[in-house]
Amino acid sequence: MTQLLLLAVTAVGLLAAIPADSLKDPREVHLRNLRQLTTGGKNAEAYFSFAGDMLCFQSSPAGSACDQIFIMDTAGRRLKRISTGHGRTTCAYFLPDGRLLYATTHLADTACPPPPERTAGYVWPIYATYDIVIADTATGAILQRLTMTDGYDAEATVSPRGDRIVFTSARDGDLELYSCNLDGSDLRRLTFTPGYDGGAFFSFDGTEIVYRAHHPTGAELEEYRELLRRQLVRPNHMELFVMNADGTNIRQITRNGAANFAPFFHPDGRRIIFSSNLHDPTRRTFSLYIINKDGTGLKRITYGAAFDGFPMFSPDGKKLLFCSSRGAHRPGEFNIFIADWVDEPDTSPDNPR
């Protein structure tokens, strides 16, 4: 176990955060004291624990074929692999007691599943062998398997109330959102419109859910269904939606025709931070934006990097966690960054920021 941990630390990179304000664009006035928590490989989907002192994330270190799940503290220390090292894993999220949810394919096959076929263009794999498990962060042992149905089960997150899980599943033939108790009981389907509903997060008071969705019609719907039969989706167009935690009162927030994803509520419950390529006519670069949940007040937060995504506010709203390609040493490298969040920045000319 000690050797495995040392290998994991070496592969993911850092043992402590590195100051990274030199990688911050001057226009990023909402960010201060930027620190880089990982270096090398592909590191993404980092999320705070309920106490705000630990982070979970997925990483595909250099030379690794498949993502695995890790935890570390908010200074980039106490790094530990939690997943088994088999199959492909994704979408980790802490439970209130410190246990960890994540999706894994290794229960069906310990081998790494093949990447998507290139003939389909840019697509995401929706592996039917993904199932959601609960793991002990002390030992890495899987304590419970939450899903056992045929088809994709992943993208699970937990209400800050500590009572419900929301996740994406293809169990009924389409990619829809479902919620359940922490032990998997009281399963409820929340969305019913054909298309991909996913990437859901609760508001801090647990009363609402924000998510991304694409609801094609006509020939585009048939293409979506054909790709889904091949366990693929094409994420070129995704808009943001908000609904009540029970699935009622669904409202569309964005209507820009871009790829908007990874939405997360600000602790004030009024604003949503997310990643989008809406600024780029080529649709190849992604930055962070914030918007009111009624669709007004859109504001760009990050600039310069080819990719900024997966933003999450700390429980007290003082920190912003995100994944970025800034400072990467090679194509395809993504690292995890944390910054102090400045809600009302001083933009006067004499402010050094």
Side-chain angles (χ1 to χ4, degrees):
M1 177 61 77
T2 301
Q3 290 179 327
L4 286 175
L5 181 56
L6 288 173
L7 285 172
V9 170
T10 302
V12 176
L14 295 181
L15 289 173
I18 293 176
D21 273 339
S22 62
L23 301 179
K24 188 167 72 72
D25 188 285
R27 293 168 291 180
E28 295 175 338
V29 295
H30 287 277
L31 307 182
R32 184 179 297 155
N33 191 23
L34 183 69
R35 285 93 73 202
Q36 184 174 340
L37 301 183
T38 63
T39 184
K42 297 180 180 180
N43 308 279
E45 294 201 53
Y47 302 117
F48 286 100
S49 64
F50 272 63
D53 60 336
M54 295 294 292
L55 309 174
C56 60
F57 66 104
Q58 65 190 50
S59 178
S60 181
S64 175
C66 269
D67 287 333
Q68 295 297 317
I69 301 300
F70 294 80
I71 61 171
M72 63 181 170
D73 65 22
T74 55
R77 301 185 178 95
R78 297 164 60 192
L79 180 67
K80 183 178 184 179
R81 194 185 76 199
I82 301 301
S83 57
T84 65
H86 300 298
R88 184 180 295 276
T89 62
T90 191
C91 305
Y93 211 84
F94 281 101
L95 289 165
D97 61 6
R99 294 177 299 159
L100 200 66
L101 288 170
Y102 67 90
T104 178
T105 64
H106 90 276
L107 298 173
D109 189 340
T110 58
C112 186
E117 53 196 80
R118 294 189 177 183
T119 56
Y122 180 66
V123 291
W124 288 350
I126 303 294
Y127 298 115
T129 50
Y130 267 136
D131 274 301
I132 301 167
V133 299
I134 296 176
D136 184 343
T137 51
T139 65
I142 293 177
L143 304 175
Q144 183 181 352
R145 180 175 176 175
L146 281 183
T147 61
M148 300 182 187
T149 57
D150 291 336
Y152 178 84
D153 292 296
E155 305 173 30
T157 63
V158 183
S159 169
R161 286 180 174 177
D163 61 342
R164 302 287 294 181
I165 295 168
V166 64
F167 66 100
T168 302
S169 178
R171 63 187 58 207
D172 293 328
D174 194 20
L175 290 165
E176 304 289 355
L177 291 174
Y178 297 77
S179 75
C180 64
N181 291 331
L182 300 191
D183 62 0
S185 63
D186 191 28
L187 181 70
R188 305 177 189 179
R189 182 170 169 177
L190 303 179
T191 58
F192 295 86
T193 305
Y196 187 4
D197 298 283
F201 292 88
F202 286 91
S203 59
F204 275 81
D205 64 4
T207 63
E208 294 182 301
I209 292 172
V210 63
Y211 62 101
R212 53 166 166 77
H214 178 50
H215 300 143
T217 58
E220 192 179 2
L221 177 58
E222 291 308 308
E223 180 193 33
Y224 161 80
R225 286 172 170 162
E226 173 56 29
L227 284 173
L228 189 58
R229 283 191 285 269
R230 294 155 57 191
Q231 300 179 41
L232 302 170
V233 292
R234 195 184 312 281
N236 294 349
H237 303 287
M238 295 181 288
E239 302 291 356
L240 303 185
F241 293 76
V242 170
M243 63 181 170
N244 294 343
D246 62 1
T248 61
N249 193 24
I250 295 175
R251 295 96 72 197
Q252 185 170 341
I253 304 305
T254 61
R255 300 177 185 274
N256 55 42
N260 309 281
F261 80 107
F264 194 86
F265 272 101
H266 185 275
D268 65 13
R270 296 182 293 104
R271 292 172 290 170
I272 295 162
I273 194 166
F274 65 102
S275 182
S276 180
N277 60 4
L278 68 91
H279 58 275
D280 186 352
T282 70
R283 298 296 195 234
R284 293 180 179 177
T285 64
F286 286 81
S287 294
L288 300 184
Y289 291 79
I290 200 163
I291 192 171
N292 294 329
K293 70 177 182 181
D294 64 1
T296 64
L298 178 69
K299 184 177 184 180
R300 187 170 175 179
I301 301 299
T302 63
Y303 297 80
F307 180 85
D308 289 319
F310 305 108
M312 182 188 190
F313 286 106
S314 59
D316 61 7
K318 294 181 179 180
K319 306 288 184 185
L320 182 69
L321 188 67
F322 64 102
C323 166
S324 181
S325 63
R326 62 185 67 201
H329 298 291
R330 57 186 57 84
E333 179 181 331
F334 302 99
N335 286 298
I336 296 165
F337 291 79
I338 191 170
D340 299 338
W341 174 255
V342 182
D343 208 42
E344 297 182 2
D346 179 2
T347 56
S348 60
D350 57 349
N351 176 30
R353 298 173 194 169

